[in-house]
Amino acid sequence: MARELVSIEVAKAWRFITEFTPSAIIPFKGNFPLLPPFRIEDFDKGISHVYLDECDEWIQDLVTKGVRMQSIEDGFREYLEENGLSEKFFEMKSADKATELVRFLNAHSLTFKSLEIK
Amino acid sequence: MKDLRGALDTIALRHAEGVVSNDILIKACENFKAQTNFQENFEYDMYVAKSVMDYINGIEPDAEICKAVIPGQTKMVDGVMYIYSATQPGSKNQYDWHVVKKGSKNNKTVGRGGKLSDTSIQAKQQFINQLFPKDLSSLKVINKSIGGSTGAELVEDANGVQYIMKKASNTNADHVRSEYLANQIYSALGQRTPDYELYQDDNGDPILLSKFIPMTHQPSAVNYAEMAKGWIADCLLANWDVYRNDNCLIDNAGRVFRVDNGGCLDFRAQGAKKTFDDNLKRTYDDMVKYNSSVFNKLTEQDILDQIQSAREHKDDVINYLRNSNQDAIADILEKRFDNLKDIENELKRSIQAKNKTVLPRTLKSQQDMYVDLDDDFCNKLFDDLVKKSPSCPLEHTGRLGFESVSRICQERGFDARPRVVSEAEFWKHAANSDKPIMFRGLNDLNGKTAEYYCDDFRYNDDCYYGSRGIYGVGIYAHADDVNKTGKQGDSVNNHSTQSTYKKTSAYAHARDYAKSDNSILKLAWEDDAVVVELQDLIREVQKNPPIKTKTPKLIQLETEMAQISADWKKAADDLANSSNTITKNVQKRMHYDEASLADMHQTIENTDWGKRKPNGDLDFPEWDDFVVKRMTKWITDNGGTVDIQPDSATFTLPNSSSSFQLSKYSYSSASAIKRKSAFSIAYSYPVKRFEDWVRAQHETKVENAIKTELKNSGETIAKMQQTERDLHNAYRKKKDEVDIELNNCTDNKLVAEIYKQIKGRNADTASSGLEALGVYAALKGYDGIYRNNGNGRGNGFNIILNRSKIVCCK
């Protein structure tokens, strides 16, 4: 199995670990941001490696969670795109948004628990 | 609340019995929500959605979700309304969804009607009706079932003109209307179909009438070239079956008529729905695969010409659809027209690859390329991006990567193709360049090969700027800037040659990302390229906030935010450390030396107590060595005392209720060494007893004391958690206020957004989440960004923004 490169994985995870609301379309639950602003400098120092498995455990844990959130959001965006809903979604009522999200979760073997980030 | 819920449950039961109507139950649910101040939120909506979807899909209901959904709750799914009610009379605890009613069908208007005014409708009818009968009842049926999959009839008017008639009753109304639309679109695209007209019967259902063309025959191979002239049109309309059966007819002049176009757009030939989306390339590839005998009649240039022709008719098609109230189809078709570019680019690449020539580049003048992009441009771009991605406008990703960067680069002409040169020319340029050459490794991705991506960079007019980039969004490449001593100098060009470049660390690192040696691009900057160093760029952003003057309010808010951040950090650190602190305090108080005790256990375990000398005598550590030195040290490290006598030792620990005595005789005797079985390792019985005593009298007591103290500190920890939460919320609120005030102060929303992301970063150490720098650099007209020692790999990274300033090896 190919080792994960820091440059790629951190880039995927960044927004999801640093924002107070990681995603505008997926209601992730957790204590956000996972990487508070006062820890960013430590994080920057800790990622001066080639591969993710060379970084400290707390960094690996953080990046893994961020990448996971990114893949769920990307998956949902793809779902909206395939169903011609990319632009309409933002204008939908909350109940209809929930329907689409549930459809997506069901179709991809995801549950509500998948949205809890601990 | 319990009484209210009890009443609602009763109403739901009566509903299950058929005594109470849907409306009353729905009303009761609304009243319940109002009287209990029930706040619907996204979480409740998710529960409702999940519950009804599980019901529809036949999945066992989730107990937690069942409890959450309120009886009388309704949900509309795909035009069907469901209501949540009791499942059977007498059961207070079982609820499920029931169908209330089906929704009404949308009345889609096609052809005549729609947004056209009565006057224009009349005018159109006057023209059309000259060709078609006004009154369908005057038509005589000649053949009740002339063929096709939807029960078409051959009919004739009083003048002997014959028509094919298709009715909604033989398929469905939308299918009939869709075929009419498809025919009109074909006509707009210059493809021949019989003349068509759409009528409505007395029930409002559509009837499609088309002119019957006599003396036609099914096509054979000699007709394929003529049929292929509509290839792109067929792809656009997703007419999968056009070359099968008798969906194309040939008249005696050899002309091709596309008939029976019911399998276009989002319908199959028999009337079932099919996927019709903007993925034109998929349709194209499938049609190539399954209709190769027709496709092979076309050259690449033929297809390019068809694409060009289709584009010229795009507005006609889209406007027609919108005027006919067909916005959904119009939206999809518009994207399919746009995505003709995918096919076009592939063909152009194929042509170029075959010809091995490089088509001339179109470059903007220096003046236009580096023009100052003003606030108006930036604000318009920002507003567009916010519509697409309200929460992260800068990161909105379109077909060409980060849309913010791709649009700026398009505006500047940065996306023009690189200068592609031969191997010899490339190395000649590299030798004279003051900037390091670069390598970019590419791999197979998303169904496309690495070779495709290499040619994509070299020859494609579209320039893909990437969808992420920790040092700034753009096109990444490894810089050959590590000199012979292995040290990296800023922007050093090591003048690697054709024979030495593969030994460089930059090449080796690019190889990590590449499928093979053949999928590594060799790149160099043009001599006049302007490349900015990452740290300098960060400082430039920070020193140039997009505000003319910071208001006192902004200064005040930023100061407050900095203070809250510091307090929050302390609270978070204290919380993280709280249990550690308690543990350490107890250990210190009780003289617990973890390292010493670990050493004790390991030494006792690792000592070979059963070792024997050549003469067979036991050879374990002597009393002076093990007891007097080591055991004594372990005890005194943990705050205890040891009384050593010539023939004995007495150990006491600070928290022990008893001391431990060990005689020299019992330690040194051969009978001290025991085994649990013939095959287990030997151990010293007195030393094992000592170890057990230390565990019971010291380690266990310290552990229990820690547990007690942690339990008693529960309240303290809870307070610390609350403090951390409060500061977390306060920081978030303050950050929002700062952002709002910053927006109020700025004339340039795009730069303000960049500034927000970069302002707090340390220029010397920042190494992630700097995508916004790519946007800034492009905005300011930098051709690229340089980051030394990217990812600690030794060599630097270049982030290319101006592809036209790149020299690329063929």
Side-chain angles (χ1 to χ4, degrees):
Chain A
M1 199 170 86
R3 290 170 81 185
E4 292 164 320
L5 290 158
V6 164
S7 57
I8 292 175
E9 301 305 307
V10 167
K12 283 185 200 171
W14 179 258
R15 170 162 62 85
F16 294 91
I17 60 176
T18 53
E19 293 286 334
F20 282 90
T21 308
S23 172
I25 58 174
I26 305 277
F28 290 114
K29 273 188 177 173
N31 190 18
F32 302 120
L34 296 178
L35 179 64
F38 50 78
R39 292 251 185 272
I40 288 176
E41 211 166 312
D42 291 335
F43 182 86
D44 279 342
K45 286 174 191 161
I47 58 166
S48 55
H49 295 284
V50 176
Y51 298 107
L52 190 61
D53 56 30
E54 293 172 318
C55 301
D56 290 342
E57 207 176 309
W58 71 277
I59 289 179
Q60 289 187 50
D61 183 50
L62 217 53
V63 172
T64 306
K65 285 175 184 166
V67 169
R68 195 154 168 279
M69 286 196 274
Q70 180 261 348
S71 65
I72 293 176
E73 189 188 86
D74 260 8
F76 189 49
R77 284 193 189 277
E78 221 173 273
Y79 165 87
L80 292 175
E81 188 78 32
E82 281 167 6
N83 290 281
L85 295 170
S86 296
E87 288 174 27
K88 289 179 196 166
F89 182 78
F90 292 102
E91 290 152 23
M92 278 182 181
K93 289 181 209 170
S94 172
D96 294 332
K97 280 184 184 173
T99 305
E100 295 306 329
L101 184 56
V102 167
R103 279 190 168 135
F104 161 73
L105 293 174
N106 284 347
H108 291 82
S109 309
L110 293 167
T111 64
F112 286 173
K113 289 244 179 282
S114 312
L115 307 185
E116 288 176 21
I117 310 296
K118 286 180 190 168
Chain B
M1 170 123 154
K2 214 171 158 189
D3 290 341
L4 288 168
R5 181 57 198 246
L8 183 60
D9 288 337
T10 303
I11 293 172
L13 274 171
R14 296 290 171 264
H15 177 263
E17 289 165 6
V19 173
V20 156
S21 68
N22 289 327
D23 286 345
I24 289 178
L25 178 56
I26 292 168
K27 192 78 186 158
C29 176
E30 286 167 11
N31 285 343
F32 174 81
K33 286 179 183 174
Q35 289 186 47
T36 56
N37 289 322
F38 178 81
Q39 295 291 334
E40 282 190 26
N41 55 23
F42 192 68
E43 191 172 359
Y44 181 72
D45 287 339
M46 292 263 289
Y47 281 148
V48 169
K50 172 86 173 120
S51 181
V52 82
M53 298 298 274
D54 284 349
Y55 166 76
I56 290 168
N57 295 323
I59 294 169
E60 187 79 20
D62 183 292
E64 191 186 316
I65 291 175
C66 281
K67 278 187 211 162
V69 182
I70 297 171
Q73 177 68 51
T74 56
K75 177 76 178 165
M76 182 78 88
V77 179
D78 294 336
V80 178
M81 186 185 283
Y82 299 85
I83 187 167
Y84 197 62
S85 183
T87 51
Q88 55 197 17
S91 167
K92 271 212 168 180
N93 296 320
Q94 288 181 351
Y95 287 91
D96 210 345
W97 294 91
H98 310 264
V99 174
V100 171
K101 64 179 180 190
K102 287 194 194 277
S104 57
K105 289 176 189 173
N106 283 335
N107 219 4
K108 290 183 187 155
T109 313
V110 180
R112 292 176 289 181
K115 290 181 182 173
L116 299 175
S117 68
D118 284 348
T119 316
S120 54
I121 289 170
Q122 282 297 327
K124 281 173 81 76
Q125 282 185 346
Q126 215 167 18
F127 174 72
I128 291 165
N129 285 348
Q130 285 171 3
L131 301 173
F132 279 78
K134 276 189 187 167
D135 180 6
L136 293 180
S137 63
S138 66
L139 296 171
K140 189 170 66 178
V141 177
I142 304 297
N143 185 339
K144 260 197 134 2
S145 183
I146 194 166
S149 43
T150 52
E153 295 174 326
L154 180 66
V155 298
E156 190 178 88
D157 68 12
N159 296 324
V161 179
Q162 293 183 333
Y163 305 87
I164 303 291
M165 178 184 275
K166 287 185 186 176
K167 294 181 187 171
S169 52
N170 290 330
T171 167
N172 63 74
D174 285 341
H175 186 206
V176 173
R177 289 191 192 100
S178 176
E179 184 169 349
Y180 178 82
L181 263 185
N183 294 333
Q184 300 295 66
I185 295 169
Y186 264 130
S187 297
L189 289 172
Q191 297 305 313
R192 205 175 288 109
T193 67
D195 287 331
Y196 281 82
E197 191 45 79
L198 195 69
Y199 297 80
Q200 269 186 346
D201 66 14
D202 293 336
N203 298 326
D205 284 330
I207 298 176
L208 188 64
L209 212 61
S210 65
K211 281 277 179 71
F212 178 71
I213 306 168
M215 306 297 288
T216 55
H217 61 86
Q218 290 191 27
S220 61
V222 297
N223 305 117
Y224 287 171
E226 196 62 25
M227 285 159 64
K229 287 180 182 176
W231 181 267
I232 287 298
D234 296 329
C235 289
L236 279 166
L237 276 105
N239 194 352
W240 299 347
D241 297 328
V242 65
Y243 305 120
R244 315 261 184 100
N245 305 324
D246 50 1
N247 291 336
C248 274
L249 290 176
I250 313 296
D251 73 358
N252 44 23
R255 297 182 303 173
V256 175
F257 285 83
R258 277 161 170 78
V259 304
D260 200 6
N261 296 312
C264 290
L265 305 173
D266 55 349
F267 277 96
R268 294 181 191 275
Q270 290 82 10
K273 293 280 269 184
K274 73 177 195 265
T275 302
F276 180 65
D277 58 22
D278 62 353
N279 195 343
L280 178 69
K281 188 67 172 55
R282 187 175 56 205
T283 308
Y284 176 88
D285 289 340
D286 286 345
M287 288 187 63
V288 168
K289 190 174 170 186
Y290 297 114
N291 299 283
S292 53
S293 47
V294 175
F295 177 73
N296 288 340
K297 299 297 177 195
L298 294 166
T299 64
E300 277 148 349
Q301 193 56 52
D302 288 336
I303 303 171
L304 287 171
D305 291 342
Q306 284 191 28
I307 288 172
Q308 184 53 33
S309 171
R311 280 205 186 109
E312 285 162 10
H313 294 102
K314 174 190 164 185
D315 288 343
D316 292 336
V317 171
I318 302 304
N319 289 341
Y320 166 74
L321 287 168
R322 295 214 189 278
N323 284 337
S324 303
N325 218 22
Q326 295 296 319
D327 287 322
I329 295 288
D331 288 343
I332 294 171
L333 216 35
E334 195 164 23
K335 286 177 188 166
R336 286 172 81 84
F337 270 100
D338 290 343
N339 291 340
L340 282 167
K341 210 161 178 44
D342 295 334
I343 302 168
E344 185 180 44
N345 287 337
E346 189 179 82
L347 290 166
K348 279 182 178 170
R349 265 194 309 278
S350 176
I351 290 171
Q352 283 167 13
K354 280 180 193 165
N355 296 340
K356 288 186 177 19
T357 57
V358 177
L359 298 175
R361 302 189 289 168
T362 310
L363 296 178
K364 285 200 173 185
S365 66
Q366 284 289 106
Q367 195 180 10
D368 286 344
M369 206 175 253
Y370 298 104
V371 70
D372 186 26
L373 295 173
D374 60 17
D375 291 345
D376 283 343
F377 171 85
C378 292
N379 288 333
K380 185 180 179 317
L381 174 58
F382 186 77
D383 288 341
D384 283 349
L385 294 171
V386 163
K387 279 182 205 159
K388 294 174 184 178
S389 283
S391 61
C392 47
L394 282 186
E395 292 179 22
H396 178 75
T397 303
R399 196 170 57 88
L400 300 174
F402 262 52
E403 194 168 320
S404 44
V405 147
S406 59
R407 280 176 61 175
I408 292 168
C409 289
Q410 252 175 5
E411 182 70 18
R412 291 197 174 287
F414 275 13
D415 59 340
R417 283 184 276 118
R419 182 159 66 96
V420 180
V421 300
S422 66
E423 189 96 26
E425 283 174 72
F426 176 81
W427 289 111
K428 188 178 169 192
H429 174 88
N432 295 321
S433 175
D434 62 353
K435 296 182 186 65
I437 60 171
M438 300 169 272
F439 304 107
R440 177 169 168 83
L442 292 155
N443 214 325
D444 295 350
L445 187 66
N446 295 336
K448 293 193 167 92
T449 63
E451 293 74 24
Y452 165 90
Y453 286 112
C454 286
D455 278 347
D456 187 60
F457 180 84
R458 290 184 185 107
Y459 302 122
N460 195 346
D461 286 327
D462 276 345
C463 184
Y464 184 73
Y465 280 98
S467 54
R468 49 187 73 97
I470 52 174
Y471 302 126
V473 65
I475 306 166
Y476 277 63
H478 288 86
D480 177 27
D481 59 357
V482 176
N483 62 30
K484 288 184 181 118
T485 63
K487 285 189 182 163
Q488 187 188 30
D490 292 349
S491 306
V492 164
N493 182 4
N494 293 298
H495 296 288
S496 300
T497 65
Q498 196 170 355
S499 53
T500 63
Y501 77 93
K502 285 194 179 178
K503 294 174 192 165
T504 63
S505 67
Y507 184 83
H509 293 144
R511 187 66 180 84
D512 275 346
Y513 292 79
K515 178 181 167 182
S516 70
D517 282 320
N518 292 332
S519 45
I520 297 178
L521 291 168
K522 296 190 280 291
L523 310 170
W525 287 109
E526 294 280 15
D527 293 337
D528 61 347
V530 176
V531 179
V532 63
E533 301 223 0
L534 184 84
Q535 290 91 331
D536 292 341
L537 196 61
I538 294 174
R539 289 187 189 106
E540 183 181 320
V541 172
Q542 291 171 342
K543 281 180 188 160
N544 294 288
I547 41 181
K548 293 189 177 64
T549 322
K550 273 194 184 183
T551 60
K553 185 178 178 187
L554 180 61
I555 295 169
Q556 171 73 20
L557 287 171
E558 285 182 333
T559 307
E560 286 168 5
M561 190 169 90
Q563 183 57 55
I564 295 171
S565 176
D567 292 342
W568 182 23
K569 179 178 187 311
K570 186 175 178 308
D573 286 343
D574 286 347
L575 182 62
N577 293 335
S578 56
S579 56
N580 286 346
T581 305
I582 288 169
T583 302
K584 283 194 171 98
N585 285 345
V586 170
Q587 287 174 348
K588 192 176 175 187
R589 194 176 71 232
M590 295 178 75
H591 305 282
Y592 180 89
D593 187 329
E594 192 167 26
S596 178
L597 288 166
D599 180 58
M600 179 190 82
H601 293 300
Q602 278 169 353
T603 305
I604 291 172
E605 188 183 56
N606 294 336
T607 301
D608 186 358
W609 298 101
K611 189 178 173 191
R612 290 193 182 268
K613 295 175 187 171
N615 62 3
D617 290 345
L618 282 165
D619 187 19
F620 57 82
E622 298 280 341
W623 166 267
D624 284 337
D625 175 30
F626 200 87
V627 177
V628 175
K629 281 184 188 162
R630 292 186 181 213
M631 284 169 69
T632 299
K633 186 174 185 311
W634 294 331
I635 295 300
T636 53
D637 282 346
N638 283 273
T641 56
V642 185
D643 179 18
I644 301 288
Q645 298 296 327
D647 295 320
S648 67
T650 305
F651 302 95
T652 312
L653 282 163
N655 310 300
S656 58
S657 51
S658 60
S659 55
F660 184 84
Q661 276 186 326
L662 180 63
S663 74
K664 188 173 180 180
Y665 173 77
S666 61
Y667 173 81
S668 309
S669 162
S671 61
I673 305 304
K674 297 181 189 302
R675 289 177 196 274
K676 285 190 180 137
S677 69
F679 303 100
S680 59
I681 55 169
Y683 64 92
S684 165
Y685 175 70
V687 171
K688 260 296 182 196
R689 279 186 54 240
F690 166 80
E691 190 181 25
D692 287 344
W693 172 80
V694 171
R695 276 210 173 102
Q697 293 297 321
H698 191 58
E699 290 178 291
T700 304
K701 289 192 175 182
V702 170
E703 190 180 44
N704 288 341
I706 290 170
K707 280 182 185 166
T708 305
E709 198 115 340
L710 280 173
K711 193 176 163 191
N712 292 342
S713 304
E715 205 180 292
T716 308
I717 291 176
K719 273 188 191 157
M720 289 166 86
Q721 283 171 338
Q722 187 59 50
T723 304
E724 194 273 335
R725 254 197 308 273
D726 289 343
L727 286 164
H728 172 282
N729 291 336
Y731 180 88
R732 184 177 187 170
K733 194 173 162 209
K734 194 60 62 178
K735 182 180 176 299
D736 287 344
E737 287 173 28
V738 167
D739 287 347
I740 290 168
E741 187 58 22
L742 192 63
N743 285 342
N744 290 341
C745 295
T746 188
D747 291 328
N748 191 319
K749 290 182 265 190
L750 184 69
V751 178
E753 188 64 27
I754 296 168
Y755 178 72
K756 280 180 215 167
Q757 293 191 23
I758 303 298
K759 64 178 175 156
R761 305 300 299 276
N762 184 324
D764 293 316
T765 59
S767 33
S768 51
L770 299 170
E771 277 81 0
L773 281 182
V775 185
Y776 184 83
L779 201 59
K780 293 299 168 186
Y782 290 112
D783 298 312
I785 306 171
Y786 169 76
R787 207 298 188 175
N788 69 343
N789 196 19
N791 269 20
R793 303 201 83 162
N795 62 271
F797 281 178
N798 264 305
I799 296 125
I800 300 163
L801 296 162
N802 189 348
R803 189 173 60 151
S804 75
K805 290 292 181 186
I806 291 291
V807 178
C808 180
C809 190
K810 239 189 212 181

